[in-house]
Amino acid sequence: EDQVTQSPEALRLQEGESSSLNCSYTVSGLRGLFWYRQDPGKGPEFLFTLYSAGEEKEKERLKATLTKKESFLHITAPKPEDSATYLCAVQSNSGGYQKVTFGTGTKLQVIP
Amino acid sequence: GAVVSQHPSWVICKSGTSVKIECRSLDFQATTMFWYRQFPKQSLMLMATSNEGSKATYEQGVEKDKFLINHASLTLSTLTVTSAHPEDSSFYICSARDRREKLFFGSGTQLSVL
């Protein structure tokens, strides 16, 4: 059974204080790992897709990395507007059909 | 932990038929449920937001008469793809939000319309 675990569940940072969010996964036949950002009252906003171990992607203050067991979302010098819940999801091919498993998210709060 | 059950996991249907996908929150009451669609190698696209007992709010470009959403109870929402055509073939996924504003996702439904 595919599993995705995100840690920490919640994170509080001072503005400018860099940190990383973790997404550990167990999946058979990884097709892709996704990072999303979700603001209260809205649906998830797509950030990155990573397909293979060693891959990295960057967007503004965010950088996502992938290994065979986990992915990190690094936040460099965060700003208050980065406050949101960050979701990780893995897509696998199971029994001939695709399946997506989401983690429960990390709620990030950046304090001015 | 909270679980959202979505079924069927995959369905193949003939063009012109309707398909219903169910999304159930198994151990919590979902005040809001979301339906998404994913095209190959693309991210999830929010289709609609449904609140229990009220009409769904559809995103721009999503046909209301094509994708019927019913959220009759706090634990069940359904998406019916009416008169499905091959271009409706896609991966559909639901999510449910609990009273603490935490979001839980179903495992998705792969729809293939022949």
Side-chain angles (χ1 to χ4, degrees):
Chain A
E1 184 180 336
D2 297 347
Q3 288 188 335
V4 177
T5 303
Q6 288 188 249
S7 61
E9 188 171 330
L11 182 62
R12 200 173 182 188
L13 300 173
Q14 291 289 334
E15 184 172 1
E17 180 186 1
S18 301
S19 188
S20 295
L21 312 182
N22 178 264
C23 172
S24 298
Y25 65 91
T26 304
V27 64
S28 55
L30 179 71
R31 298 288 296 274
L33 184 143
F34 304 91
W35 280 100
Y36 294 87
R37 169 198 169 120
Q38 185 175 24
D39 294 297
K42 297 184 179 180
E45 174 192 341
F46 171 74
L47 294 174
F48 304 107
T49 306
L50 302 167
Y51 292 105
S52 57
E55 190 175 357
E56 296 183 354
K57 288 194 176 174
E58 286 188 70
K59 180 180 179 182
E60 296 179 353
R61 295 179 291 281
L62 300 176
K63 179 180 177 180
T65 61
L66 181 65
T67 72
K68 289 185 179 180
K69 294 183 179 180
E70 59 192 347
S71 176
F72 289 96
L73 183 66
H74 307 277
I75 303 177
T76 303
K79 298 181 178 181
E81 53 262 41
D82 294 323
S83 297
T85 295
Y86 290 85
L87 295 163
C88 166
V90 293
Q91 188 163 2
S92 63
N93 196 317
S94 175
Y97 60 89
Q98 65 169 314
K99 179 183 170 183
V100 174
T101 305
F102 276 81
T104 53
T106 294
K107 188 172 184 179
L108 173 66
Q109 184 182 12
V110 182
I111 304 165
Chain B
V3 176
V4 171
S5 173
Q6 183 176 343
H7 73 90
S9 298
W10 64 281
V11 57
I12 301 173
C13 69
K14 291 183 179 181
S15 184
T17 61
S18 295
V19 175
K20 181 184 282 189
I21 302 170
E22 289 191 351
C23 181
R24 291 181 185 271
S25 56
L26 296 184
D27 56 1
F28 68 99
Q29 293 183 329
T31 55
T32 305
M33 286 190 172
F34 303 90
W35 286 96
Y36 310 86
R37 181 175 179 176
Q38 183 181 29
F39 294 98
K41 298 186 178 181
Q42 297 185 30
S43 68
L44 297 177
M45 181 192 79
L46 180 64
M47 298 175 66
T49 302
S50 72
N51 294 297
E52 184 264 339
S54 62
K55 289 184 178 180
T57 302
Y58 289 81
E59 296 298 302
Q60 192 173 9
V62 178
E63 299 176 59
K64 300 178 182 180
D65 296 330
K66 176 72 162 176
F67 300 99
L68 300 179
I69 292 173
N70 183 282
H71 192 165
S73 76
L74 285 171
T75 59
L76 174 65
S77 177
T78 60
L79 168 68
T80 302
V81 183
T82 62
S83 187
H85 291 283
E87 57 265 30
D88 298 323
S89 298
S90 190
F91 188 72
Y92 295 87
I93 192 166
C94 71
S95 68
R97 187 168 65 199
D98 67 8
R99 296 187 188 281
R100 299 170 301 160
E101 301 288 317
K102 212 164 172 65
L103 201 64
F104 301 92
F105 287 80
S107 56
T109 298
Q110 186 169 316
L111 171 64
S112 296
V113 184
L114 304 178

